[in-house]
Amino acid sequence: MPETLLFHSDFDDAAAWTDALRRELPDLDVAISTRPYDPAAVRYALVWQPPVGFFAPLVNLALVTNLGAGVDALVGRADLPGVPVTRICDPEMARMMASFVLLAVLRHARDIPMLEQARRERRWHWVNPRTAGEITVGILGLGELGARAAREVAGQGFRVKGWSRSPKSLTGIETSYGLGALDDFLSEVEILVVMLPLTAETRHLLDARRLALLPRGAKLVNVARGAVVDEAALVEALRGGHLDSATLDVFEVEPLPQDSPLWTMENVLMTPHLASVAIPSSAAAQIAENIRRLRRGAAPLFKVEAGRGY
Ligand code: NDP
């Protein structure tokens, strides 16, 4: 009997994933959760935010692959079966994220939000552009996506500082780690880029006190998870002028509620959680490789460590 991989996502293109996976593993049966399938045949699940109870009938499940890098919606679920959980770790996804971060950093560094405001007011507002080397960019999180983005930003000549949980050595990046180093890190950063997973430790890590440690006029870019930043404190910091402007791709509640003040704040650029996505044509190979590994009794790659939450 062929093994089945069960696909579930309300966002991703099921047909594209099915085609890409079948090209990699022609003997694999790919089922889509919205159509009839035999739960007992399911060995592998490729999922993005499956509903509660999704895993219960999958009694022969051997592997859960999160259809993305952030696993906060999966880990800690009471109904997650005791099988390995892996994430997507795709260089193309990292490239897409790095390009978004670069776009946001350059936009802030080149004063574009201020110039957009001047245009709205029909003001010819010439400002002397600063060189990249005069600007310090801080990246919170130096993982698969954060490290790649840090390198891209450093490649533009910015001074780049990176912060992580454990020590890191990255050429051209000044690194520090651990909560003890965070206050000093923040106090030196003009453009802060949030690239941390959402865990018990990082939820509201950037609260009112820590946002106030950023130099006056700092800019914030959040491409990770909304709840890493206390959104109410962020709104206050942006309204009061301590923060100059922000680029937000992620929010504490998504879609962003209609009554959020962020919708109408002119110093906020908002995008609807699309900084980067899992790309079937490149990521299917690593999903197939993990299935092959499981078939020969080897441990899968890119395993999530449940204890630390990412
Ligand atoms: P990784 O899991 O590869 O890396 C996470 C990084 O954060 C690591 O450097 C880790 O430190 C650090 N970190 C985690 N917890 C802490 C902590 N408590 N204190 C300090 N540092 C910490 O993640 P990725 O780089 O692949 O992705 C980052 C996040 O981006 C994802 O979790 C996801 O939420 C988000 N994302 C958003 C997308 C979007 O479209 N907006 C798309 C894809 C991902 P260490 O290296 O020491 O372990």
Side-chain angles (χ1 to χ4, degrees):
M1 195 170 83
E3 294 180 322
T4 297
L5 176 143
L6 178 59
F7 176 94
H8 174 90
S9 171
D10 291 335
F11 295 90
D12 299 86
D13 183 344
W17 278 101
T18 304
D19 289 350
L21 288 163
R22 283 191 180 134
R23 265 197 299 277
E24 293 289 334
L25 283 175
D27 64 331
L28 189 71
D29 173 42
V30 181
I32 297 166
S33 63
T34 50
R35 301 193 199 139
Y37 62 91
D38 173 12
V42 175
R43 292 284 289 158
Y44 316 106
L46 177 59
V47 294
W48 181 249
Q49 300 182 346
V52 172
F54 177 85
F55 297 108
L58 311 181
V59 290
N60 292 313
L61 194 64
L63 176 70
V64 176
T65 301
N66 182 61
L67 197 46
V71 293
D72 47 289
L74 262 188
V75 293
R77 271 174 69 138
D79 67 340
L80 192 64
V83 299
V85 176
T86 60
R87 54 164 284 190
I88 304 257
C89 237
D90 174 17
E92 289 302 318
M93 186 182 199
R95 181 202 298 265
M96 189 185 272
M97 177 59 93
S99 68
F100 188 96
V101 169
L102 198 54
L103 172 77
V105 166
L106 290 172
R107 182 174 170 272
H108 288 293
R110 294 304 310 266
D111 302 312
I112 301 299
M114 178 170 67
L115 299 174
E116 284 167 343
Q117 182 60 31
R119 178 187 166 270
R120 281 192 288 269
E121 295 165 4
R122 292 177 175 258
R123 276 190 296 117
W124 185 263
H125 184 57
W126 199 89
V127 280
N128 206 348
R130 288 188 298 156
T131 63
E134 293 172 74
I135 298 172
T136 302
V137 179
I139 312 247
L140 292 177
L142 295 172
E144 289 297 317
L145 305 182
R148 172 72 194 260
R151 277 196 296 271
E152 297 277 350
V153 173
Q156 292 294 317
F158 293 96
R159 177 186 176 206
V160 180
K161 290 160 62 83
W163 182 78
S164 53
R165 204 170 68 126
S166 57
K168 290 269 172 307
S169 173
L170 294 170
T171 308
I173 317 290
E174 298 167 36
T175 57
S176 58
Y177 66 97
L179 264 190
L182 184 57
D183 286 6
D184 282 350
F185 175 94
L186 293 172
S187 69
E188 285 188 27
V189 163
E190 178 172 340
I191 302 176
L192 181 68
V193 185
V194 184
M195 303 195 73
L196 292 165
L198 178 61
T199 67
E201 285 178 19
T202 64
R203 184 174 292 277
H204 280 199
L205 184 77
L206 291 171
D207 56 10
R209 184 188 75 80
R210 292 202 176 100
L211 289 173
L213 293 173
L214 290 163
R216 188 169 180 82
K219 294 94 180 168
L220 183 136
V221 177
N222 189 0
V223 289
R225 287 292 181 268
V228 176
V229 183
D230 178 340
E231 205 165 273
L234 174 64
V235 167
E236 284 316 304
L238 285 162
R239 273 184 176 148
H242 185 72
L243 288 188
D244 171 81
S245 49
T247 300
L248 305 175
D249 185 54
V250 288
F251 304 88
E252 287 204 44
V253 178
E254 295 177 8
L256 186 66
Q258 282 301 314
D259 61 357
S260 169
L262 290 168
W263 284 109
T264 51
M265 295 176 69
E266 287 186 339
N267 53 352
V268 175
L269 174 67
M270 279 171 38
T271 49
H273 198 148
L274 46 61
S276 185
V277 293
I279 301 160
S281 57
S282 55
Q286 64 183 248
I287 297 166
E289 172 58 16
N290 267 348
I291 290 175
R292 285 188 208 102
R293 290 175 75 92
L294 253 71
R295 284 176 175 170
R296 62 173 190 264
L301 304 170
F302 316 123
K303 206 164 159 246
V304 174
E305 286 182 32
R308 62 177 200 180
Y310 66 100

